[in-house]
Amino acid sequence: MKKIFLVAATVIATLSTLCASAQNAGTAICAHRGFWKCAAAGYSENSIASLREAQNIDCWGSEFDIHITADDVVIVNHNRDIAGTTIWDHNFADFKDFRLPNGEGVSTLDEYLTQGKKGPQTMLVCELKIQKDEEREDLMLAKTIECLKAHGLYSPDKVMFISFSLHLCKEIARIAPEFTNQYLNGKISPAELKAMGINGLDYQIKQFQAHPEWVKEAHDLGMSVNVWTVNDEETIKEMIDLGVDCITTNEPYLVRQLLGNKEIKRVAAKGNCCCKCCK
Ligand code: MG
């Protein structure tokens, strides 16, 4: 019995060491609204091309924003309006003539995820935007999960969630606790988030500059730490030194250059990729 206890204690200690060293081993890069700042993506944020380019340069993650239309279609867009037309008050058909700078139309989540599953080495970082009430947020979350499942992407190693909506983060913690779930509005300490069941934080640079101790506090609580949106050399270095797990950026090549061999990349699991070379 004593021997079993000792073996178990050794295993737990080894795993703890691995987890601790993993936290300090490097930093991941998340392309903010995809890798849009390049000719190949036509400088179009939240476009399918920007996701494809983030996948092509092997970003650890690629972030995108979603809303739900009045007729219950989940679409990819940052602002709550498209060319002045509020998304939650209008049907998807009302946006059919809109074009991004690269000529793409507004993507449905379904269309976006069709590209998403082509690059399993890139985590899909899904930002669920605040909606006009909690009922609409709940419907958007339910439809998002349904769509992820339909594409075979409803897995913690394929997608993670971020949101400014505390209601949505609490709901994700309740119905999908195995997923990385980061709160975006940086006014809540890691310990307070943890008490709500939320397992990560993705805060603006200035929040970590005001509370640098939150990075260690979060890590000690087993939470993940992401920072947005870090684009200049000085701040990138500051956030690397602070030990955040992931830097969300419009400049993935610059972050990559500054990280050198400390960049964390994901390795796609064999069999998940759609290309024949992995099968
Ligand atoms: Mg976003």
Side-chain angles (χ1 to χ4, degrees), residues 7-36:
V7 170
T10 306
V11 169
I12 290 167
T14 306
L15 285 174
S16 301
T17 306
L18 285 172
C19 290
S21 61
Q23 280 179 354
N24 297 321
T27 311
I29 299 172
C30 175
H32 180 236
R33 304 179 196 169
F35 180 31
W36 58 270

Side-chain angles (χ1 to χ4, degrees), residues 189-207:
S189 73
E192 290 172 289
L193 289 177
K194 180 84 175 181
M196 295 178 215
I198 297 165
N199 61 29
L201 50 155
D202 182 1
Y203 286 173
Q204 196 175 19
I205 301 158
K206 66 182 182 186
Q207 303 295 347

Side-chain angles (χ1 to χ4, degrees), residues 63 65 127 129:
E63 187 258 2
D65 308 287
E127 180 178 349
K129 287 292 190 182

Side-chain angles (χ1 to χ4, degrees), residues 54-221:
Q55 294 167 330
N56 282 346
I57 65 167
D58 286 339
C59 274
W60 180 94
S62 187
E63 187 258 2
F64 60 101
D65 308 287
I66 58 170
H67 292 267
I68 187 164
T69 62
D71 58 343
D72 303 341
V73 180
V74 179
I75 64 170
V76 180
N77 194 68
H78 179 263
N79 293 348
R80 66 178 58 175
D81 70 277
I82 296 174
T85 302
T86 305
I87 294 169
W88 63 46
D89 285 335
H90 290 81
N91 292 340
F92 180 58
D94 295 334
F95 304 107
K96 70 180 187 325
D97 295 329
F98 180 80
R99 289 290 174 270
L100 299 174
N102 67 355
E104 286 182 29
V106 175
S107 299
T108 62
L109 180 63
D110 183 55
E111 292 166 336
Y112 200 82
L113 294 183
T114 299
Q115 178 63 42
K117 62 189 173 192
K118 293 179 182 173
Q121 77 282 9
T122 297
M123 173 72 80
L124 296 167
V125 181
C126 178
E127 180 178 349
L128 296 117
K129 287 292 190 182
I130 290 175
Q131 300 302 301
K132 66 179 173 185
D133 57 40
E134 291 183 356
E135 194 180 329
R136 297 301 291 172
E137 291 188 348
D138 290 344
L139 182 65
M140 180 172 71
L141 177 58
K143 287 199 160 281
T144 298
I145 291 173
E146 182 183 293
C147 195
L148 286 164
K149 285 180 177 173
H151 284 273
L153 292 169
Y154 190 65
S155 168
D157 69 343
K158 296 182 173 68
V159 65
M160 56 181 271
F161 301 106
I162 60 176
S163 188
F164 279 97
S165 163
L166 196 55
H167 169 72
L168 276 169
C169 285
K170 286 179 180 174
E171 274 301 283
I172 292 162
R174 187 179 68 80
I175 63 178
E178 69 274 30
F179 286 78
T180 299
N181 172 22
Q182 297 174 335
Y183 184 55
L184 284 163
N185 191 352
K187 296 183 174 64
I188 302 180
S189 73
E192 290 172 289
L193 289 177
K194 180 84 175 181
M196 295 178 215
I198 297 165
N199 61 29
L201 50 155
D202 182 1
Y203 286 173
Q204 196 175 19
I205 301 158
K206 66 182 182 186
Q207 303 295 347
F208 289 121
Q209 288 169 330
H211 295 283
E213 75 281 4
W214 279 0
V215 176
K216 183 176 185 307
E217 181 184 326
H219 285 161
D220 288 347
L221 291 165

